[in-house]
Amino acid sequence: MKYVNEFREPEKAAALSNQITQLCNQLKKPLKLMEVCGGHTHSIFKYGIEDILPSNLELIHGPGCPVCVMPKGRLDDAIAISQNHNVILATFGDTMRVPGSTTNLLQAKATGADIRMVYSPLDSLQIARDNPDKEIVFFALGFETTAPSTALTILQAAAENITNFSMFSNHVLVIPALQALLDNPDLQLDGFIGPGHVSMVIGTESYQFISQKYHKPIVISGFEPLDILQSIWMILQQLVENRCQVENQYNRLVEPAGNLIALQAMNQVFAVRENFDWRGLGEIPESGLKIRDEYGQFDAENKFIIPNLKVADHKACKCGEILKGVLKPWECKVFGTACTPETPIGSCMVSSEGACAAYYKYGRLSAISKKAQQLATSKST
Amino acid sequence: MCLGIPGQIIEISDINHKLAIVNIAGVKRQINIACIVNEQHPPEKCIGDWVLVHVGFAMNRINEQEAAETLKLLEELATAQAQITN
């Protein structure tokens, strides 16, 4: 497959792995890099990238998985909307098993709610065209990669004057989340693997504060194994040369200014919320998107009464600490026992981009126990 | 969630709604191309373009020259590493 297979060649991966080891040897200290995006987390596990990295280089799996950071209360709100007579709730498949406070969308569907999985928000608009006597609500979530597509869907609904369609927006923004992480004293990082597809929309300039204010290197990365390895190599080069800059490894898709058409659609339809609640990170100012008043007729929050309650996470679940990289999945008591992808207690076990699900599916027990030992040794010294 | 797959536009299926057919590893699907068209690059010029497809939308065009340069750099790294090892 073009633009995929070329970036998966094992010989080149081996060469990069050797180069990375040499740079780590030069740096002579334990290093922590965070991959912000859940897509990177998934690739890192799927291709066993951690297995070919030196032992003093640790990857911290960040909060860039929209499913993982969705608070239970918002899920409860979506379920409440689906209970309304005459409503069809359309959603991406990722959300179906995210635990709300008592149930999830899959169980709500099993008990009679009309909940449909769609591939694209445009498919939910088609459901609205096909069912004029029903009220269709699209449960929208995702970072800046996804927000332009939902914005364009609302613009299409407005152009066609489709009145039985609305959206429950849970879109979130990457930059405020990074800011919150960098302000967290618990988290000591040496650099960031930057999100590739978000940057394809927002560009690379928005990350300058990471290098200028916090003096950390960040490299925007593609998702294939060679992309990720090359990005790690680029971050280490910066550390060796005592530089901290925003660099772009993914320049086949990411331009400095981003995608202006996508940004314009996003800004036309969405406004920034004053505050938005993130699972594990709490309230982050100006980190979520709501539908602008001009398009208020397409805002499900105006059309339906929703509980809008804050619900605390399960006491045993350590998703919050895992999302911040403070704890590892296997340090959570319920990991792999009470909490599995089939019966998730926390949302990091739901999505294949969540750190817990990735460890559960691809993590090698021997590697995990070795890492746990290393971690225990480093904590005791 | 931010997954994207490279695909090639093979046909413009609805010019008014900016819809095109994309071929992703042999699978053909209709996608929206509003994010990649403007006056300089109208829909009819998109046939043959490689794009990144995300949730039914072409989010950006893949820059073939940049991709080639990245691969060239990776090739040079691998060659340099082979020389060190031997």
Side-chain angles (χ1 to χ4, degrees):
Chain A
M1 196 173 157
K2 199 174 173 187
Y3 297 118
V4 173
N5 294 348
E6 310 94 300
F7 294 93
R8 293 183 183 179
E9 287 182 11
E11 297 79 13
K12 290 189 180 126
L16 276 167
S17 163
N18 284 324
Q19 298 263 353
I20 287 167
T21 304
Q22 284 165 31
L23 290 171
C24 282
N25 290 342
Q26 281 180 56
L27 287 157
K28 290 185 188 142
K29 60 172 187 177
L31 296 161
K32 282 184 177 180
L33 307 183
M34 176 180 272
E35 89 275 2
V36 178
C37 176
H40 285 143
T41 304
H42 183 78
S43 285
I44 284 161
F45 281 92
K46 185 177 172 186
Y47 300 108
I49 284 172
E50 285 186 313
D51 293 352
I52 58 168
L53 295 178
S55 58
N56 64 334
L57 176 59
E58 189 186 346
L59 293 179
I60 306 290
H61 316 299
C65 157
V67 169
C68 307
V69 296
M70 176 165 299
K72 277 184 177 179
R74 297 294 287 183
L75 222 285
D76 289 348
D77 293 345
I79 293 167
I81 291 171
S82 77
Q83 302 299 311
N84 281 284
H85 172 67
N86 232 19
V87 161
I88 299 173
L89 185 84
T91 176
F92 294 130
D94 313 48
T95 61
M96 293 299 284
R97 286 180 305 109
V98 181
S101 51
T102 55
T103 181
N104 62 25
L105 287 171
L106 203 59
Q107 287 158 327
K109 183 179 169 71
T111 51
D114 194 345
I115 299 170
R116 303 185 191 182
M117 278 184 278
V118 291
Y119 162 69
S120 166
L122 286 173
D123 296 343
S124 63
L125 201 55
Q126 190 55 46
I127 296 172
R129 290 189 197 104
D130 295 341
N131 297 274
D133 55 333
K134 298 268 188 185
E135 198 54 58
I136 283 69
V137 181
F138 181 67
F139 182 19
L141 79 162
F143 283 95
E144 292 94 328
T145 316
T146 316
S149 61
T150 55
L152 285 161
T153 303
I154 285 183
L155 291 173
Q156 186 63 42
E160 291 182 44
N161 196 21
I162 297 175
T163 55
N164 64 326
F165 177 78
S166 61
M167 217 173 256
F168 180 47
S169 171
N170 291 274
H171 285 300
V172 281
L173 302 170
V174 158
I175 300 294
L178 282 172
Q179 183 90 48
L181 281 171
L182 283 158
D183 287 335
N184 184 333
D186 290 342
L187 201 58
Q188 296 301 317
L189 294 169
D190 297 288
F192 288 94
I193 298 169
H197 292 151
V198 164
S199 307
M200 171 179 70
V201 172
I202 69 170
T204 58
E205 287 308 299
S206 325
Y207 301 103
Q208 288 297 348
F209 76 101
I210 295 176
S211 61
Q212 286 168 5
K213 185 181 169 190
Y214 295 93
H215 311 296
K216 308 279 183 204
I218 175 165
V219 175
I220 311 302
S221 174
F223 293 84
E224 296 304 331
L226 292 185
D227 287 326
I228 295 169
L229 287 165
Q230 189 189 4
S231 299
I232 292 171
W233 176 78
M234 286 166 78
I235 296 168
L236 296 173
Q237 285 277 16
Q238 286 200 41
L239 292 170
V240 164
E241 292 164 15
N242 228 349
R243 290 184 291 122
C244 49
Q245 291 168 320
V246 180
E247 287 183 326
N248 180 12
Q249 179 277 335
Y250 202 28
N251 43 20
R252 64 183 180 275
L253 266 162
V254 175
E255 294 163 54
N259 183 329
L260 298 176
I261 304 167
L263 282 171
Q264 195 208 343
M266 208 166 106
N267 293 330
Q268 188 178 339
V269 172
F270 293 116
V272 177
R273 291 177 193 269
E274 213 169 303
N275 263 308
F276 197 69
D277 194 20
W278 292 54
R279 191 185 293 233
L281 300 174
E283 288 233 323
I284 302 179
E286 299 183 345
S287 65
L289 294 177
K290 63 180 180 189
I291 295 166
R292 284 186 188 277
D293 292 345
E294 298 93 299
Y295 297 96
Q297 74 270 34
F298 299 108
D299 189 349
E301 292 181 64
N302 294 338
K303 268 190 173 182
F304 300 94
I305 297 164
I306 54 173
N308 211 358
L309 296 173
K310 279 195 170 190
V311 184
D313 284 333
H314 194 288
K315 281 196 182 80
C317 168
K318 296 286 182 235
C319 274
E321 286 81 355
I322 289 160
L323 284 167
K324 288 187 291 229
V326 176
L327 283 181
K328 291 290 184 189
W330 68 83
E331 294 179 287
C332 172
K333 279 190 181 131
V334 290
F335 171 75
T337 51
C339 183
T340 67
E342 288 71 38
T343 53
I345 289 175
S347 51
C348 293
M349 193 54 104
V350 175
S351 163
S352 61
E353 295 179 2
C356 297
Y359 268 101
Y360 186 91
K361 189 172 177 185
Y362 299 109
R364 292 147 189 77
L365 284 174
S366 57
I368 288 175
S369 62
K370 198 165 103 183
K371 276 185 188 169
Q373 269 175 349
Q374 279 172 355
L375 214 64
T377 314
S378 67
K379 276 180 182 170
S380 63
T381 50
Chain B
M1 188 74 223
C2 291
L3 270 183
I5 309 172
Q8 191 171 31
I9 293 172
I10 53 171
E11 183 190 325
I12 304 301
S13 49
D14 182 343
I15 202 156
N16 297 327
H17 290 102
K18 295 176 182 164
L19 299 174
I21 304 292
V22 72
N23 179 347
I24 302 171
V27 177
K28 295 178 179 66
R29 192 199 142 94
Q30 184 162 268
I31 57 161
N32 179 297
I33 53 169
C35 288
I36 61 157
V37 293
N38 55 25
E39 281 172 14
Q40 291 82 39
H41 206 99
E44 53 272 24
K45 272 197 175 176
C46 291
I47 293 171
D49 282 354
W50 279 88
V51 294
L52 188 100
V53 181
H54 169 73
V55 298
F57 285 75
M59 294 308 300
N60 217 353
R61 213 170 272 111
I62 299 173
N63 185 320
E64 301 202 25
Q65 196 185 334
E66 291 287 4
E69 280 180 25
T70 302
L71 287 166
K72 189 168 161 251
L73 180 73
L74 290 168
E75 189 65 54
E76 284 166 7
L77 274 172
T79 310
Q81 185 60 42
Q83 285 168 347
I84 294 166
T85 321
N86 299 329

